[in-house]
Short mmCIF file of all heavy atoms in Angstrom, two decimals:
data_model
loop_
_atom_site.label_atom_id
_atom_site.label_comp_id
_atom_site.label_asym_id
_atom_site.label_seq_id
_atom_site.Cartn_x
_atom_site.Cartn_y
_atom_site.Cartn_z
N LEU N 11 120.69 -47.83 -171.68
CA LEU N 11 119.59 -48.37 -170.89
C LEU N 11 119.94 -48.18 -169.42
O LEU N 11 120.91 -48.62 -168.87
CB LEU N 11 119.41 -49.91 -171.11
CG LEU N 11 118.12 -50.60 -170.74
CD1 LEU N 11 116.94 -49.97 -171.53
CD2 LEU N 11 118.20 -52.04 -171.13
N THR N 12 119.05 -47.42 -168.72
CA THR N 12 119.28 -47.16 -167.31
C THR N 12 118.04 -47.57 -166.49
O THR N 12 116.94 -47.42 -166.90
CB THR N 12 119.48 -45.64 -167.06
OG1 THR N 12 118.39 -44.98 -167.50
CG2 THR N 12 120.80 -45.19 -167.77
N GLN N 13 118.29 -48.08 -165.29
CA GLN N 13 117.29 -48.47 -164.39
C GLN N 13 116.58 -47.25 -163.83
O GLN N 13 117.21 -46.24 -163.51
CB GLN N 13 117.82 -49.30 -163.25
CG GLN N 13 116.84 -49.90 -162.29
CD GLN N 13 117.46 -50.70 -161.22
OE1 GLN N 13 118.71 -50.92 -161.25
NE2 GLN N 13 116.66 -51.23 -160.34
N SER N 14 115.30 -47.29 -163.71
CA SER N 14 114.55 -46.06 -163.14
C SER N 14 114.14 -46.47 -161.64
O SER N 14 114.21 -47.56 -161.17
CB SER N 14 113.34 -45.75 -163.92
OG SER N 14 112.40 -46.81 -163.90
N TYR N 15 113.72 -45.37 -160.95
CA TYR N 15 113.34 -45.54 -159.54
C TYR N 15 112.04 -46.31 -159.46
O TYR N 15 111.22 -46.44 -160.42
CB TYR N 15 113.09 -44.11 -158.94
CG TYR N 15 114.23 -43.23 -159.03
CD1 TYR N 15 114.16 -41.94 -159.56
CD2 TYR N 15 115.43 -43.64 -158.48
CE1 TYR N 15 115.23 -41.16 -159.61
CE2 TYR N 15 116.51 -42.71 -158.47
CZ TYR N 15 116.37 -41.51 -159.04
OH TYR N 15 117.49 -40.66 -159.09
N SER N 16 111.88 -46.98 -158.33
CA SER N 16 110.66 -47.79 -158.00
C SER N 16 109.94 -47.24 -156.82
O SER N 16 110.47 -47.36 -155.66
CB SER N 16 111.17 -49.24 -157.80
OG SER N 16 110.02 -50.05 -157.38
N TYR N 17 108.74 -46.67 -156.97
CA TYR N 17 108.02 -46.12 -155.88
C TYR N 17 106.62 -46.62 -155.96
O TYR N 17 106.07 -46.92 -157.04
CB TYR N 17 107.84 -44.60 -156.00
CG TYR N 17 109.22 -43.88 -156.00
CD1 TYR N 17 109.53 -43.12 -157.11
CD2 TYR N 17 110.12 -43.98 -154.96
CE1 TYR N 17 110.79 -42.38 -157.16
CE2 TYR N 17 111.33 -43.32 -155.03
CZ TYR N 17 111.65 -42.52 -156.10
OH TYR N 17 112.87 -41.82 -156.16
N THR N 18 105.94 -46.88 -154.79
CA THR N 18 104.57 -47.30 -154.73
C THR N 18 103.65 -46.20 -154.24
O THR N 18 102.45 -46.33 -154.14
CB THR N 18 104.45 -48.48 -153.83
OG1 THR N 18 104.82 -48.13 -152.46
CG2 THR N 18 105.25 -49.71 -154.37
N ASN N 19 104.28 -45.09 -153.86
CA ASN N 19 103.53 -43.93 -153.23
C ASN N 19 104.02 -42.65 -153.85
O ASN N 19 105.21 -42.42 -154.03
CB ASN N 19 103.77 -43.97 -151.73
CG ASN N 19 102.88 -42.96 -150.99
OD1 ASN N 19 102.94 -41.82 -151.25
ND2 ASN N 19 102.07 -43.49 -150.07
N ASP N 20 103.11 -41.71 -154.15
CA ASP N 20 103.49 -40.47 -154.67
C ASP N 20 103.18 -39.22 -153.89
O ASP N 20 103.04 -38.15 -154.41
CB ASP N 20 102.91 -40.36 -156.12
CG ASP N 20 101.45 -40.16 -156.07
OD1 ASP N 20 100.81 -40.24 -155.04
OD2 ASP N 20 100.87 -39.93 -157.15
N TRP N 21 103.19 -39.39 -152.53
CA TRP N 21 102.76 -38.31 -151.70
C TRP N 21 103.77 -37.09 -151.83
O TRP N 21 103.30 -35.93 -151.64
CB TRP N 21 102.82 -38.71 -150.18
CG TRP N 21 104.17 -39.01 -149.71
CD1 TRP N 21 104.83 -40.23 -149.65
CD2 TRP N 21 105.08 -38.09 -149.09
NE1 TRP N 21 106.08 -40.06 -149.17
CE2 TRP N 21 106.24 -38.79 -148.77
CE3 TRP N 21 104.97 -36.76 -148.81
CZ2 TRP N 21 107.38 -38.18 -148.24
CZ3 TRP N 21 106.09 -36.19 -148.29
CH2 TRP N 21 107.27 -36.86 -147.93
N PHE N 22 104.94 -37.32 -152.20
CA PHE N 22 105.91 -36.20 -152.32
C PHE N 22 105.78 -35.38 -153.54
O PHE N 22 106.27 -34.22 -153.57
CB PHE N 22 107.38 -36.80 -152.22
CG PHE N 22 108.48 -35.76 -152.22
CD1 PHE N 22 108.68 -34.96 -151.17
CD2 PHE N 22 109.22 -35.63 -153.34
CE1 PHE N 22 109.65 -33.93 -151.17
CE2 PHE N 22 110.26 -34.67 -153.37
CZ PHE N 22 110.49 -33.87 -152.26
N VAL N 23 105.24 -35.89 -154.64
CA VAL N 23 105.11 -35.20 -155.86
C VAL N 23 104.58 -33.79 -155.77
O VAL N 23 105.10 -32.91 -156.40
CB VAL N 23 104.35 -36.02 -156.94
CG1 VAL N 23 104.09 -35.29 -158.19
CG2 VAL N 23 105.04 -37.38 -157.17
N GLY N 24 103.57 -33.57 -154.97
CA GLY N 24 102.97 -32.27 -154.88
C GLY N 24 103.88 -31.27 -154.15
O GLY N 24 103.76 -30.05 -154.26
N HIS N 25 104.84 -31.79 -153.42
CA HIS N 25 105.79 -30.88 -152.72
C HIS N 25 107.12 -30.52 -153.51
O HIS N 25 107.88 -29.77 -153.06
CB HIS N 25 106.22 -31.55 -151.35
CG HIS N 25 105.07 -31.88 -150.50
ND1 HIS N 25 104.40 -30.95 -149.71
CD2 HIS N 25 104.40 -33.05 -150.26
CE1 HIS N 25 103.45 -31.51 -149.10
NE2 HIS N 25 103.40 -32.82 -149.42
N GLN N 26 107.26 -31.24 -154.65
CA GLN N 26 108.48 -31.06 -155.39
C GLN N 26 108.85 -29.61 -155.81
O GLN N 26 109.96 -29.20 -155.65
CB GLN N 26 108.48 -31.94 -156.58
CG GLN N 26 108.70 -33.37 -156.27
CD GLN N 26 108.67 -34.25 -157.56
OE1 GLN N 26 108.22 -33.92 -158.55
NE2 GLN N 26 109.06 -35.53 -157.29
N PRO N 27 107.86 -28.82 -156.22
CA PRO N 27 108.16 -27.38 -156.66
C PRO N 27 108.73 -26.62 -155.45
O PRO N 27 109.66 -25.83 -155.66
CB PRO N 27 106.82 -26.86 -157.10
CG PRO N 27 106.05 -28.03 -157.52
CD PRO N 27 106.38 -29.08 -156.61
N VAL N 28 108.16 -26.77 -154.24
CA VAL N 28 108.64 -26.08 -153.06
C VAL N 28 110.10 -26.58 -152.71
O VAL N 28 110.98 -25.76 -152.51
CB VAL N 28 107.71 -26.27 -151.84
CG1 VAL N 28 108.34 -25.73 -150.63
CG2 VAL N 28 106.32 -25.72 -152.16
N TRP N 29 110.30 -27.86 -152.73
CA TRP N 29 111.59 -28.41 -152.47
C TRP N 29 112.67 -27.95 -153.52
O TRP N 29 113.75 -27.67 -153.19
CB TRP N 29 111.60 -29.94 -152.33
CG TRP N 29 111.17 -30.33 -151.00
CD1 TRP N 29 109.97 -30.63 -150.52
CD2 TRP N 29 112.03 -30.38 -149.85
NE1 TRP N 29 109.97 -30.95 -149.20
CE2 TRP N 29 111.24 -30.87 -148.72
CE3 TRP N 29 113.38 -30.26 -149.68
CZ2 TRP N 29 111.71 -31.08 -147.54
CZ3 TRP N 29 113.97 -30.44 -148.39
CH2 TRP N 29 113.07 -30.82 -147.33
N ALA N 30 112.23 -27.92 -154.76
CA ALA N 30 113.21 -27.46 -155.83
C ALA N 30 113.60 -26.11 -155.59
O ALA N 30 114.79 -25.76 -155.70
CB ALA N 30 112.53 -27.62 -157.25
N THR N 31 112.71 -25.21 -155.27
CA THR N 31 113.01 -23.81 -154.94
C THR N 31 113.90 -23.68 -153.70
O THR N 31 114.92 -23.03 -153.69
CB THR N 31 111.72 -22.95 -154.69
OG1 THR N 31 110.96 -23.07 -155.89
CG2 THR N 31 112.06 -21.54 -154.36
N LEU N 32 113.59 -24.45 -152.67
CA LEU N 32 114.37 -24.49 -151.50
C LEU N 32 115.81 -24.91 -151.67
O LEU N 32 116.67 -24.27 -151.26
CB LEU N 32 113.68 -25.34 -150.41
CG LEU N 32 114.41 -25.51 -149.04
CD1 LEU N 32 114.37 -24.07 -148.31
CD2 LEU N 32 113.76 -26.51 -148.17
N LEU N 33 115.98 -25.97 -152.43
CA LEU N 33 117.30 -26.53 -152.69
C LEU N 33 118.06 -25.59 -153.54
O LEU N 33 119.29 -25.37 -153.37
CB LEU N 33 117.14 -27.91 -153.37
CG LEU N 33 116.67 -29.01 -152.39
CD1 LEU N 33 116.43 -30.25 -153.15
CD2 LEU N 33 117.52 -29.23 -151.20
N ARG N 34 117.41 -24.95 -154.55
CA ARG N 34 118.09 -24.05 -155.45
C ARG N 34 118.57 -22.81 -154.74
O ARG N 34 119.60 -22.27 -154.91
CB ARG N 34 117.16 -23.70 -156.62
CG ARG N 34 117.80 -22.82 -157.67
CD ARG N 34 116.84 -22.53 -158.84
NE ARG N 34 115.56 -21.94 -158.47
CZ ARG N 34 114.43 -22.68 -158.50
NH1 ARG N 34 114.38 -23.88 -158.87
NH2 ARG N 34 113.27 -22.07 -158.16
N GLU N 35 117.73 -22.29 -153.83
CA GLU N 35 118.07 -21.01 -153.16
C GLU N 35 119.05 -21.21 -151.92
O GLU N 35 119.85 -20.29 -151.73
CB GLU N 35 116.82 -20.35 -152.63
CG GLU N 35 115.90 -19.75 -153.68
CD GLU N 35 114.63 -19.12 -153.26
OE1 GLU N 35 114.39 -19.03 -152.08
OE2 GLU N 35 113.80 -18.73 -154.14
N THR N 36 118.96 -22.30 -151.28
CA THR N 36 119.83 -22.50 -150.13
C THR N 36 121.07 -23.32 -150.40
O THR N 36 122.09 -23.14 -149.65
CB THR N 36 119.11 -23.21 -148.95
OG1 THR N 36 118.74 -24.52 -149.39
CG2 THR N 36 117.90 -22.42 -148.52
N LYS N 37 121.08 -24.06 -151.46
CA LYS N 37 122.27 -24.87 -151.82
C LYS N 37 122.90 -25.60 -150.65
O LYS N 37 124.15 -25.49 -150.46
CB LYS N 37 123.39 -23.99 -152.58
CG LYS N 37 122.84 -23.37 -153.84
CD LYS N 37 123.88 -22.50 -154.48
CE LYS N 37 123.42 -21.88 -155.74
NZ LYS N 37 122.16 -21.24 -155.80
N PRO N 38 122.08 -26.40 -149.96
CA PRO N 38 122.68 -27.07 -148.68
C PRO N 38 123.71 -28.13 -149.20
O PRO N 38 123.58 -28.77 -150.15
CB PRO N 38 121.44 -27.69 -148.14
CG PRO N 38 120.52 -27.98 -149.32
CD PRO N 38 120.75 -26.81 -150.23
N LYS N 39 124.65 -28.28 -148.31
CA LYS N 39 125.65 -29.28 -148.45
C LYS N 39 125.46 -30.49 -147.46
O LYS N 39 125.94 -31.59 -147.69
CB LYS N 39 127.08 -28.72 -148.22
CG LYS N 39 127.39 -27.74 -149.33
CD LYS N 39 128.88 -27.24 -149.17
CE LYS N 39 129.22 -26.21 -150.25
NZ LYS N 39 130.51 -25.72 -150.10
N LYS N 40 124.76 -30.18 -146.36
CA LYS N 40 124.43 -31.15 -145.37
C LYS N 40 122.94 -31.16 -145.16
O LYS N 40 122.43 -30.18 -144.82
CB LYS N 40 125.21 -30.90 -144.09
CG LYS N 40 126.73 -31.02 -144.22
CD LYS N 40 127.38 -30.62 -142.97
CE LYS N 40 128.07 -29.30 -143.21
NZ LYS N 40 128.63 -28.65 -142.18
N ILE N 41 122.30 -32.32 -145.28
CA ILE N 41 120.80 -32.36 -145.18
C ILE N 41 120.50 -33.54 -144.30
O ILE N 41 121.05 -34.61 -144.38
CB ILE N 41 120.26 -32.64 -146.55
CG1 ILE N 41 120.69 -31.51 -147.59
CG2 ILE N 41 118.76 -32.77 -146.55
CD1 ILE N 41 120.77 -31.84 -148.98
N LEU N 42 119.53 -33.23 -143.39
CA LEU N 42 119.04 -34.29 -142.46
C LEU N 42 117.58 -34.48 -142.81
O LEU N 42 116.79 -33.61 -142.81
CB LEU N 42 119.22 -33.80 -141.08
CG LEU N 42 118.58 -34.66 -139.92
CD1 LEU N 42 119.19 -35.99 -139.83
CD2 LEU N 42 118.66 -33.94 -138.60
N GLU N 43 117.24 -35.75 -143.11
CA GLU N 43 115.83 -36.17 -143.45
C GLU N 43 115.38 -37.11 -142.37
O GLU N 43 115.98 -38.14 -142.14
CB GLU N 43 115.81 -36.81 -144.88
CG GLU N 43 114.42 -37.26 -145.23
CD GLU N 43 114.38 -37.96 -146.58
OE1 GLU N 43 115.10 -38.97 -146.73
OE2 GLU N 43 113.61 -37.48 -147.37
N ILE N 44 114.31 -36.80 -141.81
CA ILE N 44 113.62 -37.67 -140.83
C ILE N 44 112.41 -38.26 -141.40
O ILE N 44 111.40 -37.51 -141.80
CB ILE N 44 113.35 -36.90 -139.49
CG1 ILE N 44 114.58 -36.39 -138.94
CG2 ILE N 44 112.64 -37.83 -138.55
CD1 ILE N 44 114.34 -35.51 -137.73
N GLY N 45 112.43 -39.57 -141.67
CA GLY N 45 111.38 -40.28 -142.36
C GLY N 45 111.63 -40.31 -143.88
O GLY N 45 111.56 -39.38 -144.60
N SER N 46 112.14 -41.51 -144.30
CA SER N 46 112.58 -41.64 -145.68
C SER N 46 111.83 -42.55 -146.59
O SER N 46 111.92 -42.53 -147.74
CB SER N 46 114.05 -42.10 -145.67
OG SER N 46 114.82 -41.12 -144.99
N TYR N 47 111.07 -43.51 -146.00
CA TYR N 47 110.20 -44.48 -146.68
C TYR N 47 110.93 -45.12 -147.86
O TYR N 47 111.94 -45.76 -147.62
CB TYR N 47 108.92 -43.80 -147.06
CG TYR N 47 107.73 -44.84 -147.33
CD1 TYR N 47 107.28 -45.61 -146.26
CD2 TYR N 47 107.18 -44.90 -148.58
CE1 TYR N 47 106.24 -46.49 -146.49
CE2 TYR N 47 106.10 -45.82 -148.74
CZ TYR N 47 105.68 -46.62 -147.72
OH TYR N 47 104.68 -47.48 -147.90
N GLU N 48 110.47 -44.95 -149.09
CA GLU N 48 111.02 -45.57 -150.26
C GLU N 48 112.17 -44.71 -150.88
O GLU N 48 112.77 -45.07 -151.86
CB GLU N 48 110.01 -45.77 -151.37
CG GLU N 48 108.98 -46.80 -150.96
CD GLU N 48 107.84 -46.89 -151.91
OE1 GLU N 48 107.37 -45.85 -152.39
OE2 GLU N 48 107.40 -48.03 -152.21
N GLY N 49 112.42 -43.53 -150.34
CA GLY N 49 113.46 -42.66 -150.86
C GLY N 49 113.06 -41.68 -151.87
O GLY N 49 113.95 -41.10 -152.54
N ARG N 50 111.81 -41.46 -152.11
CA ARG N 50 111.40 -40.55 -153.09
C ARG N 50 111.97 -39.12 -152.89
O ARG N 50 112.54 -38.44 -153.80
CB ARG N 50 109.91 -40.42 -153.26
CG ARG N 50 109.43 -39.54 -154.45
CD ARG N 50 107.89 -39.47 -154.60
NE ARG N 50 107.46 -40.75 -155.21
CZ ARG N 50 107.06 -40.89 -156.46
NH1 ARG N 50 107.18 -39.82 -157.30
NH2 ARG N 50 106.61 -41.97 -156.96
N SER N 51 111.84 -38.59 -151.66
CA SER N 51 112.39 -37.32 -151.29
C SER N 51 113.89 -37.30 -151.24
O SER N 51 114.51 -36.35 -151.60
CB SER N 51 111.70 -36.76 -150.12
OG SER N 51 111.94 -37.57 -148.92
N SER N 52 114.44 -38.35 -150.71
CA SER N 52 115.88 -38.52 -150.72
C SER N 52 116.48 -38.42 -152.08
O SER N 52 117.47 -37.68 -152.25
CB SER N 52 116.27 -39.83 -150.07
OG SER N 52 115.66 -40.06 -148.78
N CYS N 53 115.87 -39.17 -153.05
CA CYS N 53 116.40 -39.18 -154.42
C CYS N 53 116.23 -37.75 -155.06
O CYS N 53 117.10 -37.25 -155.83
CB CYS N 53 115.77 -40.23 -155.21
SG CYS N 53 116.21 -41.88 -154.75
N PHE N 54 115.05 -37.17 -154.74
CA PHE N 54 114.87 -35.74 -155.24
C PHE N 54 115.95 -34.87 -154.71
O PHE N 54 116.50 -34.02 -155.49
CB PHE N 54 113.47 -35.25 -154.79
CG PHE N 54 113.10 -34.00 -155.35
CD1 PHE N 54 112.52 -33.92 -156.63
CD2 PHE N 54 113.36 -32.71 -154.74
CE1 PHE N 54 112.16 -32.70 -157.20
CE2 PHE N 54 113.00 -31.58 -155.30
CZ PHE N 54 112.41 -31.47 -156.54
N ILE N 55 116.28 -34.91 -153.45
CA ILE N 55 117.33 -34.16 -152.88
C ILE N 55 118.71 -34.42 -153.54
O ILE N 55 119.47 -33.50 -153.98
CB ILE N 55 117.43 -34.37 -151.33
CG1 ILE N 55 116.21 -33.72 -150.66
CG2 ILE N 55 118.75 -33.76 -150.72
CD1 ILE N 55 116.06 -34.21 -149.19
N ILE N 56 119.01 -35.68 -153.72
CA ILE N 56 120.31 -36.06 -154.33
C ILE N 56 120.29 -35.52 -155.78
O ILE N 56 121.30 -34.97 -156.30
CB ILE N 56 120.41 -37.59 -154.33
CG1 ILE N 56 120.69 -38.07 -152.88
CG2 ILE N 56 121.67 -38.03 -155.25
CD1 ILE N 56 120.58 -39.58 -152.72
N ASP N 57 119.21 -35.75 -156.58
CA ASP N 57 119.11 -35.37 -157.95
C ASP N 57 119.17 -33.86 -158.11
O ASP N 57 119.75 -33.40 -159.15
CB ASP N 57 117.89 -35.92 -158.54
CG ASP N 57 117.78 -37.41 -158.68
OD1 ASP N 57 118.86 -38.06 -158.45
OD2 ASP N 57 116.74 -37.99 -158.90
N HIS N 58 118.72 -33.12 -157.19
CA HIS N 58 118.73 -31.62 -157.37
C HIS N 58 119.92 -30.97 -156.63
O HIS N 58 120.71 -30.27 -157.22
CB HIS N 58 117.45 -31.04 -156.91
CG HIS N 58 116.33 -31.30 -157.84
ND1 HIS N 58 115.71 -32.49 -157.90
CD2 HIS N 58 115.73 -30.50 -158.79
CE1 HIS N 58 114.79 -32.50 -158.88
NE2 HIS N 58 114.80 -31.28 -159.42
N ALA N 59 120.10 -31.20 -155.34
CA ALA N 59 121.22 -30.65 -154.56
C ALA N 59 122.56 -31.17 -155.00
O ALA N 59 123.57 -30.48 -154.94
CB ALA N 59 120.97 -30.85 -153.06
N GLY N 60 122.62 -32.37 -155.47
CA GLY N 60 123.84 -33.00 -155.91
C GLY N 60 124.28 -32.70 -157.30
O GLY N 60 125.36 -33.20 -157.82
N GLN N 61 123.56 -31.91 -157.95
CA GLN N 61 123.86 -31.48 -159.41
C GLN N 61 125.11 -30.73 -159.51
O GLN N 61 125.83 -30.77 -160.49
CB GLN N 61 122.68 -30.90 -160.13
CG GLN N 61 121.65 -31.87 -160.58
CD GLN N 61 122.15 -32.88 -161.49
OE1 GLN N 61 122.72 -32.55 -162.53
NE2 GLN N 61 121.99 -34.18 -161.17
N ASN N 62 125.33 -29.72 -158.55
CA ASN N 62 126.36 -28.80 -158.68
C ASN N 62 127.39 -28.88 -157.62
O ASN N 62 128.34 -28.13 -157.61
CB ASN N 62 125.77 -27.39 -158.71
CG ASN N 62 124.83 -27.27 -159.92
OD1 ASN N 62 125.16 -27.54 -160.99
ND2 ASN N 62 123.63 -26.72 -159.63
N GLN N 63 127.18 -29.73 -156.61
CA GLN N 63 128.20 -29.87 -155.54
C GLN N 63 128.04 -31.23 -154.85
O GLN N 63 127.06 -31.90 -154.99
CB GLN N 63 127.87 -28.73 -154.51
CG GLN N 63 126.54 -28.81 -153.88
CD GLN N 63 126.27 -27.69 -152.93
OE1 GLN N 63 127.06 -26.87 -152.73
NE2 GLN N 63 125.03 -27.70 -152.35
N ASP N 64 129.08 -31.55 -154.08
CA ASP N 64 129.00 -32.79 -153.21
C ASP N 64 128.00 -32.43 -152.08
O ASP N 64 127.97 -31.32 -151.64
CB ASP N 64 130.42 -33.04 -152.60
CG ASP N 64 131.47 -33.39 -153.59
OD1 ASP N 64 131.14 -33.59 -154.80
OD2 ASP N 64 132.60 -33.40 -153.23
N ILE N 65 127.31 -33.48 -151.75
CA ILE N 65 126.37 -33.24 -150.56
C ILE N 65 126.50 -34.50 -149.60
O ILE N 65 126.92 -35.56 -150.04
CB ILE N 65 124.92 -33.13 -151.02
CG1 ILE N 65 124.33 -34.31 -151.73
CG2 ILE N 65 124.70 -31.84 -151.80
CD1 ILE N 65 122.81 -34.35 -151.88
N GLU N 66 126.11 -34.23 -148.46
CA GLU N 66 126.02 -35.25 -147.36
C GLU N 66 124.53 -35.31 -146.97
O GLU N 66 123.99 -34.32 -146.48
CB GLU N 66 126.87 -34.84 -146.24
CG GLU N 66 127.06 -35.86 -145.12
CD GLU N 66 128.09 -35.37 -144.13
OE1 GLU N 66 129.01 -34.55 -144.40
OE2 GLU N 66 127.98 -35.82 -142.97
#
Side-chain angles (χ1 to χ4, degrees):
L11 198 60
T12 59
Q13 185 178 357
S14 65
Y15 301 125
S16 175
Y17 304 119
T18 61
N19 187 302
D20 67 355
W21 70 268
F22 181 70
V23 172
H25 303 282
Q26 288 178 346
V28 173
W29 275 95
T31 300
L32 178 67
L33 294 172
R34 185 176 54 252
E35 290 180 5
T36 63
K37 296 177 181 48
K39 293 182 181 179
K40 295 175 255 175
I41 302 148
L42 174 64
E43 177 181 58
I44 300 174
S46 300
Y47 201 64
E48 296 173 317
R50 185 179 285 259
S51 56
S52 306
C53 291
F54 186 86
I55 290 167
I56 293 167
D57 294 347
H58 287 77
Q61 282 300 305
N62 300 312
Q63 64 185 358
D64 296 348
I65 63 166
E66 187 175 332

